[in-house]
Amino acid sequence: MRTIMLATVTAVVLGTFVAGTMLTGAEGDAQLANENPQIDYQGFMKQVQEVAKVREQRRVSEEGFIRMMDDPKTIVLDARSKRMYDLLHVKGAVHISLPDMTAEDLAELIPKKDTRVVIYCNNNFKNEPQAFAPKAPVASLNLNTYNTLYSYGYRNIYELKPLLDRHDTKIPFAGTSVENGK
């Protein structure tokens, strides 16, 4: 009797585990949604594919970046940490750290969703390891920043494309490093 009861409990537990982890399609999506409706990996993956089609056409040269940043209607956005931004950033760039991007914060910083926004990140500048420490290429901040802005309805997004030497670029900088003559 004890063996039969143990086998029944094991079958129920195993069946529940298998059913809970092996669901697919609408049933699996519903279960995943019930786990945390504020995290949508499938939606993220779909959006990444959508953004990929747009982003490649919106990557700009150093000269294009400078032209855009000189337009007073353009916002140059730095999404690195506040500490790195304070140390060194593109002159005139506004700051909002990627983890702090919410619909409310973005609406305050960029009220009109059709505003041209130009982004850059650590992986756009070399020979400045403290302020622009390179990230793994697949972890480049530009990728996440572009997708996040797109998630919140911003569509006029451009991205600095090349890897530039911090000391040779024509892009002007500001921050404590510049103030200290570095």
Side-chain angles (χ1 to χ4, degrees):
M1 177 86 160
R2 182 177 157 108
T3 304
I4 294 172
M5 195 189 248
L6 183 58
T8 303
V9 168
T10 302
V12 168
V13 169
L14 184 58
T16 302
F17 174 76
V18 169
T21 60
M22 301 290 285
L23 293 175
T24 59
E27 194 174 40
D29 291 343
Q31 180 181 359
L32 290 175
N34 289 333
E35 289 178 12
N36 189 340
Q38 295 190 58
I39 299 173
D40 182 1
Y41 191 75
Q42 294 304 316
F44 171 76
M45 293 299 293
K46 181 179 175 185
Q47 181 179 287
V48 166
Q49 293 173 350
E50 186 177 322
V51 167
K53 296 172 188 172
V54 176
R55 179 182 163 266
E56 194 53 42
Q57 306 304 314
R58 298 291 183 102
R59 299 181 73 214
V60 297
S61 66
E62 176 182 23
E63 295 78 19
F65 184 88
I66 292 169
R67 244 186 338 274
M68 287 181 181
M69 70 179 277
D70 286 343
D71 180 345
K73 293 179 183 175
T74 297
I75 291 181
V76 177
L77 182 68
D78 187 319
R80 297 174 304 138
S81 71
K82 177 81 168 117
R83 185 171 66 89
M84 293 298 112
Y85 173 83
D86 288 344
L87 187 60
L88 190 66
H89 59 271
V90 170
K91 189 174 184 177
V94 296
H95 177 260
I96 184 169
S97 179
L98 180 65
D100 295 332
M101 283 187 193
T102 64
E104 295 79 21
D105 290 334
L106 284 168
E108 188 175 310
L109 190 65
I110 313 167
K112 294 183 178 181
K113 292 190 177 184
D114 63 346
T115 300
R116 181 168 55 196
V117 179
V118 184
I119 63 173
Y120 67 92
C121 76
N122 290 19
N123 288 11
N124 286 120
F125 300 103
K126 63 182 179 179
N127 296 324
E128 191 64 51
Q130 190 174 9
F132 291 109
K135 305 266 186 209
V138 296
S140 172
L141 190 58
N142 278 348
L143 302 174
N144 292 306
T145 301
Y146 203 110
N147 277 290
T148 299
L149 289 169
Y150 197 90
S151 293
Y152 288 113
Y154 295 89
R155 297 294 188 268
N156 199 8
I157 311 162
Y158 290 82
E159 174 188 339
L160 179 60
K161 182 176 184 174
L163 174 61
L164 303 169
D165 188 306
R166 151 58 179 113
H167 303 286
D168 293 337
T169 182
K170 296 173 189 147
I171 296 172
F173 290 92
T176 56
S177 287
V178 172
E179 294 164 12
N180 295 331
K182 294 182 182 177

